[in-house]
Amino acid sequence: MLRIKRLAKFSIYLISLGLLGAGAGLIAVWLIVVPTLPEVETLRDVQLQVPLRVFSEDQRLIAEIGEQRRTPVALADVPELQRLAFLAAEDDRFYRHPGIDWRGTLRGAWLYGRSLGQGRVPGGSTITQQVARRFFLSTEYSVTRKLREMLLALKIERELSKDEIFELYLNKEFLGHRAYGIVAAAHVYYGSDLDSLTIAQMAQLAALPKAPSRDNPVSGPRQAMIRRNWVIERMHRLGYISDQDRASALAEPNTARLHAPVVELSAPWIAEMVRQELVDLFGAQQAYSGGYQVHTTLQSALQRAGDQAVRNGLQAYDRRHGWRGPEQRLDPESLSDPGARESRLREVRPVADLVPALVLESDETLARLQLRSGAEVTIELDSLSWARPFLELNALGARPSAVSDVLEPGDLVRMRLVGDNWRLAQIPRAEAALVAMEADTGAIRALVGGLDFSRNQFNRVTQSRRQPGSAFKPFIYAAALDRGYTPASLVNDAPVVLDDPSLERAWRPTNFGRRFYGPTRLREAMVHSRNLVSVRLLMDIGLDYARDYISDFGFARADLPAGPSMALGSASLTPLSVTAAYGAFTNGGHAIEPQFIHRVTDGFGRTVHEPDWPRICPDCPEFRPEPPPQAAPEPGPTGPRRLDLAAATNAAEPEPVGPSIPSIAPRVLSPQTSWLIHSMLADVVSQGTGRRALTLGRSDLAGKTGTTNDLRDTWFVGFGGGMVATVWLGMDDNESLGSQEQGGRTALPLWVEFMETALAGRPERLPGEPVGLARAMINPDTGLRARPGAPGAVAEWFHSDNLPALEAVGENGDRSDPYDIF
């Protein structure tokens, strides 16, 4: 009996000692570990990593940029069955435990002990513990990390509600394939919103947290289906779904596949410009994960029209230069295997709207081809009349007399859908760029930097520096009008030899047709793009004056050649800078800056960046710099102290209040010179090299073609309805486009096609004659004012203080030699 008592005392002693040790351990943990735990309050203001999203002006998604795909969602907006699916899979006692599920914890501890601490064991982590781990802790597998996780879970439960914790979990959890949170996972795997998912799909999402990279329904469909069915069974056992729901959900096949973000508007070049701008503003990490939404100036209808115009224009150019043959040739014997055909076609990606196709068979009258999609189409001979063999740049072979002359079985070619019919095509050798902006604000409405961004990311609108050719002449003419010339001034269109320092050789400019027309009025020279007139103009007004004058349009002075070749557009300029500069010819003479961002908002819809666009203000006074400060006056004789009211007023000047004064766009042209250039460019469209634009049926169009030496660059820059647009077409390697490929043939048709959409619904905008202009009848042969009743006189406009002289009585012009013009 005594022995039993001693044993009982010893047991009580050991138990007491154990309890004391456990208590001391808990106190030590509380004093040492708990103070090091992070502040849970930060979870209330947590900023989830949300990708950058770029939208058009009419709210079409252009791009989603960032490593993590995530769309935060409020718990109230999550369907109830989706919430129950996650509870069934992860923590069905979530709303009943204090943050730690002692059953799961003891089960995990027992399994850990049985494994002697070797390897991971399942169970034990509640949803709250997973939130603690995701936001604050590492994924290290250790007892210390688990202890911190449990204590942090208890702390989170004291400071946040269950719904707040569950909402954080559903938005934070990684669910595979860059999807973070359930909304992103629904989009990635099913291309659907949460309220469109089936029970089986909801269960599949809830099954993902266990092994999202390995056992998701795309990368590991077998294991994913096993896990999904287990979740469905759990939902049924917990009473969340009925017997019928269980049976139908288990019978549903795996419908998951990868879905890219739903891009509603293809504008990759503007998306890249936005990305670079936001990285400059906020830094790369914040730009890609801060949840910013960028609202651009693009209009989706115009952007689509620009894309289509570029594609159509490049195809039209390419067809004029014949068929270069198939991209590849396959062994015809391999065509008998449908699987091999499909596999080969999948390896060749589309370029713009040009899809790969394999020729299966061909004869004299038609060919049968298989598209990348698996569909089969046929081509007949009459659609191949353009496919003359390419021999060299300006030489083609005979027109095909049979389909088999062009296509043979095994040929891998490109097809393009035109209307409802598939047409043979090829990837163009040339490239093109298009940009359109509002003439009053600089807001870019469409920007196409090339045929296909995924093939070549080079932005030919902003990065390509090409010679504008004759499209540069309006700037020379504007400088001349402000130097005393008039649209009626005569300049001799005759050969000249000049020493051009910028070319380091003697220069002999000529007109495009190698003809010369003698004395020519400036208006006629602009309309018919007379090169020698521009050169003589520039040399007369002076290179330094012209470079200073033209640099006010937004061009860097260093980019303007210091030689007479500048008169013919030898400067290397971007299409964007030329477009903005042309805006001054239609907005009354103001310099505009290209703008492509309306505003940037954060994840809460607050505006964090809004560019200050310069505004056009025709009636605003010219800016005058403040006069330099005057030297302090010498001290006068002493006398009665006087109150200096001016100094007192300045000292007490209050801080400015009210809205900020908007920036004013600087004036670079007088309204009179702007109007005159506009008038001359309108004649280019109505009478000259831009006549193709008349098909638009508008009277407010104006613009200028441009073609450079050896037909390397072709342009059309024009405006109407308050919009200014530029099209460039040429070779990236600066090779010639071929004979007869001038701006009016290559670039202008693209401009017309685009502007047909851009100007639809826009009223005509014809500038009124500003004060300071005068209209007079002139003799078109001499440029002098004609006397009343003179036959053949035409009307012309002038600066009111620069009218030409009146013709002498009885004389038809000046007796001086008309060819003696500087």
Side-chain angles (χ1 to χ4, degrees):
M1 189 69 180
L2 183 60
R3 188 175 176 181
I4 294 175
K5 286 183 178 181
R6 288 178 179 176
L7 185 59
K9 285 183 179 180
F10 183 72
S11 298
I12 293 171
Y13 174 76
L14 285 178
I15 292 172
S16 300
L17 188 62
L19 291 174
L20 184 62
L26 288 174
I27 292 172
V29 167
W30 189 263
L31 294 176
I32 298 173
V33 178
V34 171
T36 66
L37 296 177
E39 290 296 326
V40 174
E41 186 63 26
T42 58
L43 288 176
R44 294 189 185 277
D45 301 317
V46 68
Q47 289 193 355
L48 298 171
Q49 292 188 15
V50 179
L52 167 67
R53 292 186 174 94
V54 184
F55 295 90
S56 65
E57 188 178 72
D58 48 348
Q59 292 304 297
R60 304 290 188 215
L61 179 65
I62 294 174
E64 185 176 279
I65 304 170
E67 294 181 2
Q68 300 184 7
R69 291 181 61 178
R70 178 187 279 115
T71 302
V73 61
L75 186 64
D77 296 329
V78 178
E80 182 181 12
L81 265 181
Q82 182 68 82
R83 285 181 269 166
L84 294 174
F86 271 93
L87 292 175
E90 294 295 319
D91 189 358
D92 63 282
R93 286 168 37 81
F94 172 69
Y95 280 96
R96 299 196 299 274
H97 62 62
I100 300 174
D101 186 353
W102 299 110
R103 297 180 189 176
T105 301
L106 292 175
R107 182 175 65 253
W110 169 254
L111 293 174
Y112 183 78
R114 286 186 59 184
S115 68
L116 300 178
Q118 301 300 314
R120 293 177 178 267
V121 295
S125 286
T126 64
I127 284 177
T128 311
Q129 288 175 260
Q130 293 181 58
V131 169
R133 182 167 65 249
R134 295 286 185 267
F135 281 94
F136 296 117
L137 304 176
S138 69
T139 56
E140 174 196 4
Y141 187 70
S142 67
V143 174
T144 304
R145 198 270 300 157
K146 192 69 175 179
L147 180 60
R148 289 173 58 82
E149 176 187 297
M150 294 169 65
L151 293 172
L152 191 53
L154 293 172
K155 189 175 182 180
I156 289 172
E157 290 273 351
R158 288 200 308 271
E159 301 190 27
L160 299 181
S161 69
K162 287 286 188 180
D163 284 351
E164 288 175 318
I165 297 169
F166 199 16
E167 182 177 304
L168 286 170
Y169 172 78
L170 293 177
N171 283 300
K172 177 71 173 178
E173 197 67 17
F174 173 59
L175 300 175
H177 289 287
R178 294 177 53 229
Y180 290 79
I182 54 173
V183 175
H187 290 162
V188 166
Y189 295 113
Y190 302 110
S192 300
D193 295 326
L194 292 177
D195 52 9
S196 301
L197 298 179
T198 65
I199 292 176
Q201 290 170 339
M202 292 180 182
Q204 185 65 82
L205 295 187
L208 289 170
K210 182 179 180 182
S213 297
R214 185 191 63 199
D215 296 342
N216 67 70
V218 173
S219 302
R222 181 176 173 275
Q223 284 299 116
M225 289 292 286
I226 294 173
R227 177 72 176 168
R228 182 204 75 170
N229 292 343
W230 178 84
V231 175
I232 293 171
E233 294 285 8
R234 284 277 296 163
M235 294 176 71
H236 178 256
R237 189 159 54 250
L238 292 168
Y240 297 159
I241 57 176
S242 65
D243 294 342
Q244 184 178 351
D245 291 336
R246 168 187 172 275
S248 60
L250 289 173
E252 185 174 315
N254 180 10
T255 59
R257 62 182 179 85
L258 290 182
H259 294 76
V262 181
V263 173
E264 300 169 297
L265 177 64
S266 176
W269 284 279
I270 209 79
E272 174 60 16
M273 291 166 63
V274 167
R275 184 195 68 80
Q276 293 175 0
E277 181 73 11
L278 261 69
V279 168
D280 291 342
L281 286 171
F282 305 114
Q285 182 175 357
Q286 183 65 13
Y288 300 149
S289 62
Y292 295 118
Q293 296 193 3
V294 183
H295 306 271
T296 69
T297 59
L298 287 194
Q299 293 181 346
S300 58
L302 272 61
Q303 180 65 25
R304 292 189 183 100
D307 264 326
Q308 195 62 40
V310 165
R311 293 172 179 180
N312 291 343
L314 287 173
Q315 283 300 313
Y317 165 79
D318 208 63
R319 283 177 167 232
R320 291 196 293 270
H321 292 271
W323 173 245
R324 298 188 298 276
E327 289 184 25
Q328 301 176 31
R329 276 204 166 94
L330 279 64
D331 183 359
E333 294 183 1
S334 66
L335 301 179
S336 59
D337 183 358
R341 296 199 305 261
E342 292 180 9
S343 175
R344 186 69 190 90
L345 286 169
R346 280 196 300 269
E347 294 174 1
V348 184
R349 69 168 194 82
V351 174
D353 56 351
L354 308 175
V355 299
L358 270 175
V359 180
L360 303 180
E361 58 183 16
S362 66
D363 56 27
E364 290 188 359
T365 58
L366 60 81
R368 185 168 61 90
L369 302 92
Q370 179 179 329
L371 302 178
R372 192 171 189 260
S373 63
E376 292 188 5
V377 297
T378 58
I379 290 182
E380 297 180 353
L381 179 60
D382 59 357
S383 68
L384 297 177
S385 59
W386 67 272
R388 300 167 62 184
F390 172 85
L391 301 179
E392 57 183 40
L393 185 60
N394 298 312
L396 301 178
R399 198 175 302 276
S401 59
V403 173
S404 55
D405 291 342
V406 179
L407 300 174
E408 297 179 3
D411 286 354
L412 193 151
V413 297
R414 296 281 172 170
M415 299 290 286
R416 185 171 188 248
L417 187 62
V418 181
D420 296 328
N421 301 310
W422 286 96
R423 295 283 185 261
L424 180 66
Q426 55 191 352
I427 299 174
R429 292 183 59 238
E431 273 289 359
L434 180 149
V435 60
M437 65 177 64
E438 299 288 350
D440 289 344
T441 65
I444 295 175
R445 298 308 193 187
L447 189 149
V448 183
L451 177 65
D452 188 301
F453 181 82
S454 60
R455 178 170 170 248
N456 188 330
Q457 291 79 47
F458 184 63
N459 189 339
R460 293 160 189 83
V461 171
T462 61
Q463 296 174 300
S464 181
R465 291 184 170 272
R466 307 297 292 238
Q467 295 181 349
S470 295
F472 191 77
K473 290 175 182 175
F475 304 110
I476 303 293
Y477 280 56
L481 292 180
D482 283 345
R483 198 74 160 179
Y485 280 86
T486 75
S489 297
L490 289 182
V491 177
N492 194 13
D493 180 33
V496 65
V497 179
L498 299 168
D499 181 25
D500 190 337
S502 66
L503 299 178
E504 298 182 353
R505 59 178 170 81
W507 184 48
R508 295 175 175 83
T510 184
N511 289 323
F512 181 78
R514 299 190 179 279
R515 293 179 58 194
F516 304 98
Y517 297 87
T520 305
R521 287 179 291 122
L522 289 196
R523 183 178 290 275
E524 288 300 303
M526 176 79 86
V527 168
H528 300 293
S529 203
R530 304 285 189 240
N531 287 345
L532 278 303
V533 171
S534 299
V535 173
R536 290 177 182 271
L537 265 184
L538 176 60
M539 298 312 295
D540 186 55
I541 64 177
L543 278 167
D544 288 338
Y545 161 76
R547 293 177 75 200
D548 290 340
Y549 184 98
I550 295 171
S551 64
D552 288 342
F553 286 84
F555 304 120
R557 194 178 192 278
D559 292 336
L560 303 176
S565 65
M566 182 177 70
L568 304 187
S570 63
S572 295
L573 305 172
T574 66
L576 186 64
S577 64
V578 174
T579 309
Y582 260 68
F585 300 141
T586 185
N587 66 21
H590 298 273
I592 56 173
E593 299 176 8
Q595 306 287 345
F596 57 94
I597 294 178
H598 276 305
R599 66 188 181 281
V600 180
T601 58
D602 62 14
F604 301 98
R606 299 173 301 203
T607 298
V608 296
H609 175 66
E610 189 169 13
D612 181 19
W613 293 7
R615 301 293 195 267
I616 288 178
C617 182
D619 301 322
C620 291
E622 293 294 320
F623 171 76
R624 290 183 174 84
E626 295 183 4
Q630 300 293 324
E634 293 293 329
T638 59
R641 183 178 180 183
R642 297 180 180 275
L643 180 62
D644 189 344
L645 294 177
T649 302
N650 291 335
E653 184 175 354
E655 291 290 327
V657 295
S660 59
I661 299 174
S663 301
I664 304 300
R667 179 177 290 283
V668 294
L669 285 178
S670 69
Q672 296 78 23
T673 300
S674 175
W675 191 93
L676 289 173
I677 295 294
H678 186 294
S679 169
M680 296 164 78
L681 292 175
D683 282 355
V684 173
V685 170
S686 62
Q687 307 169 30
T689 57
R691 284 191 302 273
R692 189 187 293 260
L694 294 176
T695 59
L696 293 173
R698 295 176 66 105
S699 61
D700 63 338
L701 302 178
K704 187 72 185 73
T705 53
T707 308
T708 60
N709 286 343
D710 298 324
L711 306 168
R712 291 189 177 96
D713 298 280
T714 58
W715 299 67
F716 189 80
V717 190
F719 45 83
M723 179 168 292
V724 55
T726 294
V727 171
W728 167 87
L729 191 148
M731 299 284 188
D732 279 344
D733 59 6
N734 209 31
E735 290 296 314
S736 173
L737 290 167
S739 64
Q740 305 306 313
E741 299 292 357
Q742 307 136 27
R745 191 185 192 196
T746 58
L748 180 54
L750 279 72
W751 189 90
V752 171
E753 180 182 344
F754 168 75
M755 291 296 269
E756 184 176 8
T757 299
L759 298 179
R762 282 189 175 230
E764 292 197 356
R765 176 170 148 173
L766 290 167
E769 299 87 358
V771 175
L773 288 180
R775 185 172 180 265
M777 303 301 291
I778 64 166
N779 182 334
D781 295 326
T782 65
L784 299 177
R785 272 189 297 151
R787 290 189 172 273
V794 297
E796 185 55 272
W797 290 88
F798 306 89
H799 285 91
S800 57
D801 59 354
N802 192 28
L803 290 168
L806 188 66
E807 281 190 322
V809 178
E811 295 186 11
N812 185 21
D814 195 342
R815 291 183 177 274
S816 62
D817 183 359
Y819 288 86
D820 186 20
I821 302 175
F822 61 89

